[in-house]
Amino acid sequence: MPVKVLIVEDNPVARSFLTRVVRESFSDALVITEAGDLETARRQIGPHREGVQAADPFKLILVDLELPDGNGMELLAELGQYPATKIVTTLYSDDDHLFPALQCGADGYLLKEDRFEVLVEELQKIVRGQPPLSPAIARRLLTHFRPAPVGGAAASGPMPLASGFQSSRPVPMGRGAPLDHERLTPRESEVLTYLSKGFTIKEIASLMGIKWFTVNDHIKSIYKKLNVSSRAEAAVLASKQGLV
Amino acid sequence: MAHDGTDSVRVHGLNNTWPGRTAPNWTGLPSQSADSSLDADWNDPADRRPLIIRWTGWRLRLLVLCALLGCVATAMLVRALIAAPHIDASWRADSQGRIELAASADPALQPYVGHALLGIAGGDVSVALIDALALQRSPRWVIGDGARARQQLVRDQLTEALAAGHVKLFFADGSQVAVSTVPHGIANLPLIFWLLSAFGLALYMVAAAVLIAHPISRNVIYAVMAVCQSGNLLLIAVEAALEFGLPPHAGRLSMPVHMAFDLITAAAMVNATCLHPRRLPGSGWIAVLGWAVALGLIGSTAVGALPHVWWWTQGAVIMLGLMAIGLLSWSYHIEPHPFAILLRRFGIVTAATWGLLTAALAAADQLQGVPHNIADIGSMIWYVFLGSLLLLIPFLARSQNFMREFALLAAISTVATSLDLLFVAVFGLSQFAALTLSLFVSLGVYTGARHWVLSQTLGSSMLTTERMFEQLYRIAREVEAQPERASTLLSQLLGNLFEPLEVNVVEMRTHKTRVAGDGSSMLVPVPTLGHDTTASRAVMIRFAQRGRRLFSSEDARLTDRIVEQLRRAVHFDMAVEQGRSEERLRLAQDLHDDIGARLLTLMYKAQSPEMEDYVRHTLQDLKTLTRGLAASNHRLSHAAAEWKSDLTHRLSAAHVELKWAFAIDNDILLTVVHWSALTRILRELVSNAIAHAQAQQLEVDFRLENDRIDLTITDDGVGRNPRAWSHGLGLGGVRKRVKQLGGEVEWREVSPHGIRCRVVIRDLSKAR
């Protein structure tokens, strides 16, 4: 049974390039469906909600972020429970664009300007469960999972005596204590900190005295927590706004 | 209570305390009564100043009652006065010290205007008037004990004579005139009576208001002083209305009552300076000493055991006055509260005029007719002056202009009084001529000096206004860059504006600038500037102009306007900056989206790998450019992490090992120019190594030490003789960018093989 792949990309040249990358990456028999915009993509995917598994779902979905009828992130958000590896393909390598995509449930990202061989390798890695994590995104993740700072007082001005009154103040906890999925384990934070400083997985493994795969597992777990926490956040937001 | 919420934070780099004093530890310590009352003032907004208390309920009722009592007492006084028998004539002392008829509406007396009166006979009493002593307003200002007794005797007789209804007047030319006495009548009360009694009543009302508003010990003392002076003024008013003195029973009391008022006021002044502006060590004993002196003198006078009463009183008052001045100096030495300096100034002027008055009277005692002028007018002016000082004190911190004008006026009237006394005593001018002349001179001085003083103060503040604006905009820019420093910068601004001895940042929420601690301190809310949300802070400045000036409500208004201007300037700057960055962002987005997509298509369609790489580099340069446009600055360590990750990514694809070394002594913020230049230099050099050197390993060493970047990239490839390289677009670009940063670049062979490129940028921060 062939593996179904969906490529959502508006530029035909880039689409055929990505098709080549996908074909090169896997030895399985592939059925590659191409979509030029979000609407076509949605039609191809069909109804998938309410836990009903489509008979023959896509195993791999590549989504461009900039599409003529919207942003690829919308599709990613809709496909929250869809059992496919979802990958963002984009020209934007900065965290401002990539971080929201990861929050929407992307399993990794590919930079479209990379060489063919690099793209093939990266794609294989993501499918194997070795998603990339750039220093900028690692930094964003660290601030995302860090508990909110205590007011603004800690950061403002030189204050040698500050500790005296800060301790007397209650820490503002808007949402109560963070849940498990909103917290990183110490190891995960450590990995993230190293990543944010530009260390490679190999270097981190040797620095922390753990196996390469363990570091990679931490990264995967961070990805998952990011997606779960943002989904939980969205649910909280939605219930607050009376949408649910 | 007060100190839980007011942890003060000393601002670094500011003059938090006054120079030359080693123990600034009283700040914020609850043991200091002055401080805790200050803080209590702030914590309870309903309780700030005695005179802006809500006048409702029992306070209002009590105040109205006090006002009614005062008015009824005055009305009864007037009623008693208008019933007193009176000869329809006015008298004055002539140059030989005799009583002279000045004017009269009685036709029988009119021919005798200008004649000296020698005696009065009425009923079975006849009084010989050998000098003008009987005419002198108050026995309080008769120096000798004997003269005072004689005056009293003459007045007793005169009262008896006038009571008979018909009197005979004997003039110096031998003629006799018989006239009938008439009741005084309300129309005949002199203007000075009404003025003085109105002033006395006002003083009494202020005393009552202060006491009712805030019944604490120092206000009680103030009220005692004010009521005593009010009594003095009323007594003077009555004495001025009755030409030949008070009726015997009241006349005998006049001297002791006046004296008691004076001494009590002086002792209360000593007591007040012990407590305000700060409680002095041993204040209780000093106050007791003051009161003992005053009460001892009053008591011994009352039983008649004291000879030379006048000298004792004058001496005791001046001694207590000097004591109060000394206490104020001491208080200022302990804590430089501007109130102490102000009160000391008032004290010096008051004591000096008192001394002058005493000296003038003593000197003129021998001259005929003169003492009575000095005693009447000089003492009256002195009491009015003291009364107005007392009237002013509760309002001191309210209005700077008002105070300045008053200070000028007070100084000028003192000059006028002194001149008047001088003219009369030394040049022997008549009372009227001396008064007119001195008034003219002093009015002239007042007009001139007022203009000069005002232009002086305005001129200096214009200068500071210019400087202040400059500073305001500088601070606005700084605040915009670092919103968290808003309170520090505001403290600096206020520090330059008011030159306070203390500037503290306190955790306190306040909406408007407030003057507290009797004008010693001002609390300025730190506005919410930028995105900083800590609105609950305030800057507390204390002791303006190095402790020489009080804060007034004008200062508070000025500060509010300055803070508002600062807020606007910051918002304006932020809006401009936001507009700029939005524009840049839009530009970057357009570039990225349009050109980027085209370059990508071009890259996919490239005919050769070289062309593809070329387009890829162009695309990457475009991305660096657009990112530089979008972001304003990058932290060096963050940028380095991205460089490393990017290089690792590319080198591992080319199967080249990366050795990365990064050492910095300061994690600076790179500007866009620096960031994009360094990014492209690094990328170009690495691309070069990948493309041409066929290296196995690439060593990157990045150092920042003392503002100097030292970047070395060493490969172990096949490159040779770098001097012979043709510098194409790539290396030419590197040279150009290094030069742009003011640095140097060189390529050198390394053994056994490979090329080392070294980039050195000195004085990095200067190149910005």
Side-chain angles (χ1 to χ4, degrees), chain B residues 139-271:
Chain B
R140 167 70 178 83
W141 294 94
V142 177
I143 298 174
D145 290 342
R148 196 176 310 113
R150 195 161 58 79
Q151 186 197 33
Q152 195 56 55
L153 189 68
V154 170
R155 285 191 169 178
D156 287 353
Q157 291 169 341
L158 274 175
T159 312
E160 211 172 320
L162 289 175
H166 298 281
V167 287
K168 259 187 194 157
L169 307 179
F170 300 87
F171 286 97
D173 60 354
S175 48
Q176 302 175 12
V177 183
V179 287
S180 320
T181 58
V182 287
H184 213 298
I186 201 154
N188 279 334
L189 288 178
L191 180 66
I192 194 85
F193 168 80
W194 296 111
L195 286 178
L196 283 176
S197 42
F199 188 51
L201 262 183
L203 194 57
Y204 158 79
M205 282 313 296
V206 169
V210 165
L211 192 62
I212 293 168
H214 216 72
I216 56 170
S217 59
R218 62 179 200 223
N219 284 358
V220 172
I221 294 169
Y222 171 79
V224 166
M225 287 198 287
V227 166
C228 281
Q229 287 314 307
S230 165
N232 255 337
L233 288 167
L234 274 178
L235 209 52
I236 291 173
V238 172
E239 284 164 351
L242 296 173
E243 271 154 341
F244 292 115
L246 296 166
H249 48 280
R252 254 174 250 290
L253 279 179
S254 165
M255 167 69 183
V257 169
H258 265 307
M259 178 193 153
F261 281 158
D262 289 345
L263 285 168
I264 289 172
T265 308
M269 211 177 281
V270 169
N271 196 348

Side-chain angles (χ1 to χ4, degrees), chain B residues 649-684:
Chain B
H649 187 64
R650 292 176 55 205
L651 287 170
S652 67
H655 307 288
V656 180
E657 192 193 340
L658 173 70
K659 275 188 148 182
W660 175 267
F662 180 74
I664 54 172
D665 61 354
N666 184 11
D667 195 4
I668 55 170
L669 276 177
L670 293 174
T671 61
V672 176
V673 177
H674 279 113
W675 176 80
S676 68
L678 285 170
T679 307
R680 291 162 84 170
I681 289 168
L682 210 54
R683 184 188 299 142
E684 203 55 60

